[in-house]
Amino acid sequence: IKVPVMIATFQEIDAGHLALDHLLEVDHRLTLEDYDPISQLPEKQPVSVLDLICEMIVVSDNEATNMLADHIGLEKINRCVEDLGTKSTMLAHLLARRDKYGGPIPRLTARWNKDGSNLTSADDLSQLMKVIYNGKAASPRSCQTMQEILEISGKQGPIGSYLPATTIVGGKIGHITDPEDGEDLGETAVINGDYVLTIMCNRVPPFSQRKKETTSEEKVALRELSTILDDFHQQHSEMPFYFKTTVQPLWYHKPISPSDVISILSKAIHDVYYQVERRR
């Protein structure tokens, strides 16, 4: 959800309502994690908008996110990304458990988001990354700055883990751990400025709760992914290609993490993309 906040912030800069060197005061009323860098600063310490954006994207600082989102307004952020082509993205509440008085955090709702959850999708994230790299998410200068920040962030994400060392990955990871629902891990990235890849692993159970054997349904899903990749590798010449799948990779009977799954899928797609590109 932090990519929409970044884009909306740069649109505010382009409109003259903010500047990269504009200072916002640290406000601990909406701290989520005490270990976030901004959360460790003294109350009311001034921090530049540029530093807040970098902390939000590169280290995923939640309080930096809240400061920017609270300053801009959730409704404006949501209108911004909707205008850029998203269909199911909504920043419905700030990233905090409670306000400074211990009360609930206000939530926005919609017909398709009745409980006021923060929502996005692989389609929407890919769309937002595309318009950033096409220079259409904000001014060309702002899009270039966003790319530079994303390419610092992308050095630490799982999508680039198994790719060649010279690969330029502009990406943002998202990670939520819930003892009841399991682990959510995803990353959206642009590879070498050539294509967008977004992979989301949702509600992955802890190792102790995973199945010991792969079911026939999961084997079919894995064959489906293999068929898709092989089809593009062998037959398709039009680039870039795009596909969606909800396959369940083999993380149930092997000690493999969602991060490993993302890295493996990224490597497979990277190889397919560039082998097809070389045949053109």
Side-chain angles (χ1 to χ4, degrees):
I1 206 68
K2 292 166 183 172
V3 172
V5 177
M6 176 177 67
I7 294 173
T9 302
F10 275 98
Q11 287 195 0
E12 287 290 282
I13 292 169
D14 293 338
H17 301 149
L18 276 177
L20 289 176
D21 59 359
H22 183 96
L23 300 177
L24 298 179
E25 291 186 348
V26 170
D27 183 353
H28 291 320
R29 65 191 172 91
L30 293 170
T31 297
L32 178 62
E33 307 287 2
D34 291 334
Y35 54 74
D36 281 336
I38 298 299
S39 299
Q40 297 181 40
L41 297 177
E43 182 81 3
K44 296 190 179 301
Q45 177 169 322
V47 184
S48 73
V49 168
L50 177 59
D51 285 344
L52 290 172
I53 296 170
C54 291
E55 294 289 354
M56 175 177 67
I57 299 299
V58 177
V59 302
S60 212
D61 189 298
N62 294 297
E63 189 158 346
T65 306
N66 287 338
M67 290 173 63
L68 292 169
D70 191 47
H71 184 83
I72 296 168
L74 305 189
E75 295 91 343
K76 184 176 286 188
I77 294 169
N78 291 330
R79 287 196 302 271
C80 160
V81 294
E82 185 176 356
D83 289 345
L84 291 173
T86 63
K87 305 296 184 183
S88 54
T89 292
M90 184 175 182
L91 180 58
H93 62 86
L94 297 179
L95 311 180
R97 299 185 182 92
R98 57 190 178 278
D99 63 23
K100 64 178 178 180
Y101 304 110
I105 299 299
R107 290 178 177 239
L108 302 177
T109 59
R111 180 179 53 80
W112 53 276
N113 185 12
K114 294 182 179 180
D115 66 349
S117 296
N118 288 335
L119 300 174
T120 190
S121 68
D123 283 347
D124 283 0
L125 288 172
S126 294
Q127 169 65 15
L128 293 177
M129 295 294 279
K130 181 180 77 172
V131 293
I132 289 172
Y133 273 75
N134 285 347
K136 298 179 180 179
S139 68
R141 181 176 180 179
S142 288
C143 287
Q144 179 61 41
T145 304
M146 283 190 271
Q147 290 176 34
E148 292 170 0
I149 295 170
L150 287 166
E151 286 167 10
I152 296 172
S153 172
K155 293 178 181 179
Q156 56 195 353
I159 279 181
S161 295
Y162 297 160
L163 303 187
T166 55
T167 306
I168 299 174
V169 179
K172 176 72 183 78
I173 60 173
H175 185 206
I176 299 174
T177 299
D178 188 310
E180 295 182 3
D181 289 340
E183 181 179 11
D184 294 344
L185 180 68
E187 184 176 8
T188 184
V190 174
I191 312 301
N192 290 331
D194 290 336
Y195 68 93
V196 185
L197 174 62
T198 304
I199 304 175
M200 303 175 79
C201 300
N202 293 339
R203 297 185 176 183
V204 180
F207 286 124
S208 60
Q209 299 178 17
R210 296 181 192 174
K211 303 173 185 177
K212 294 183 178 179
E213 296 183 359
T214 305
T215 66
S216 58
E217 181 180 349
E218 287 159 358
K219 290 178 181 178
V220 169
L222 288 165
R223 286 200 298 272
E224 176 192 347
L225 176 60
S226 176
T227 300
I228 290 170
L229 292 175
D230 187 62
D231 179 57
F232 278 112
H233 178 71
Q234 298 295 333
Q235 300 179 30
H236 283 55
S237 60
E238 294 184 3
M239 302 299 291
F241 64 79
Y242 175 75
F243 71 88
K244 292 187 290 186
T245 181
T246 56
V247 300
Q248 301 281 347
L250 282 172
W251 58 42
Y252 288 111
H253 71 291
K254 292 183 179 180
I256 190 169
S257 70
S259 178
D260 292 328
V261 170
I262 292 174
S263 299
I264 292 167
L265 292 178
S266 171
K267 179 63 165 63
I269 293 166
H270 178 276
D271 291 349
V272 168
Y273 183 98
Y274 287 107
Q275 287 184 41
V276 173
E277 179 68 19
R278 283 196 297 270
R279 293 205 305 271
R280 292 185 63 188

